[in-house]
Amino acid sequence: MSTPTIVLAVLLAAIFLLLGAAKLAAVPAMRQAAAHVGMTTAHYRLLGALEVVAAAGLLAGLRITALGAAAAAGLILLMAGAVVVHLRSGDPAARCLPAAVVGALAAAHLVLLAGG
């Protein structure tokens, strides 16, 4: 496995472990974000659980490539959904940028995994 693939897996895992844990813990900023887009805290916690599982999948993917690929694909779908939810909530495009960037990083990771 190449160094860029490993670096992306660890970086993405760290990002989603932190964000997912914050959603699971329902920290005030995450409760506000959920309310802003019209989600309940329970739904936001579910997203947090998916993010934590994906982070674990990315790390497991360092040994079992198929798991890493599945985790990256799941994160791409989650981040595409996040962009759509922000746009439907009337957020400016700049507010969608973090989700778009980490989604693009997950896509790059998936491409790297597929390449070798």
Side-chain angles (χ1 to χ4, degrees):
M1 189 167 294
S2 70
T3 300
T5 306
I6 294 167
V7 168
L8 267 178
V10 171
L11 175 67
L12 287 166
I15 290 168
F16 284 103
L17 183 59
L18 290 171
L19 290 174
K23 287 178 178 114
L24 282 170
V27 297
M30 293 300 166
R31 286 196 312 263
Q32 289 172 345
H36 170 73
V37 296
M39 285 188 185
T40 65
T41 300
H43 284 124
Y44 225 55
R45 281 186 167 144
L46 174 62
L47 291 175
L50 292 172
E51 290 174 352
V52 169
V53 168
L58 289 168
L59 295 176
L62 296 174
R63 292 252 184 227
I64 304 167
T65 305
L67 279 176
L75 287 173
I76 293 165
L77 292 174
L78 276 174
M79 293 304 99
V83 169
V84 169
V85 166
H86 279 294
L87 292 174
R88 284 187 176 175
S89 296
D91 288 338
R95 184 117 185 227
C96 302
L97 193 57
V101 168
V102 292
L105 289 175
H109 180 62
L110 186 58
V111 168
L112 287 172
L113 285 173

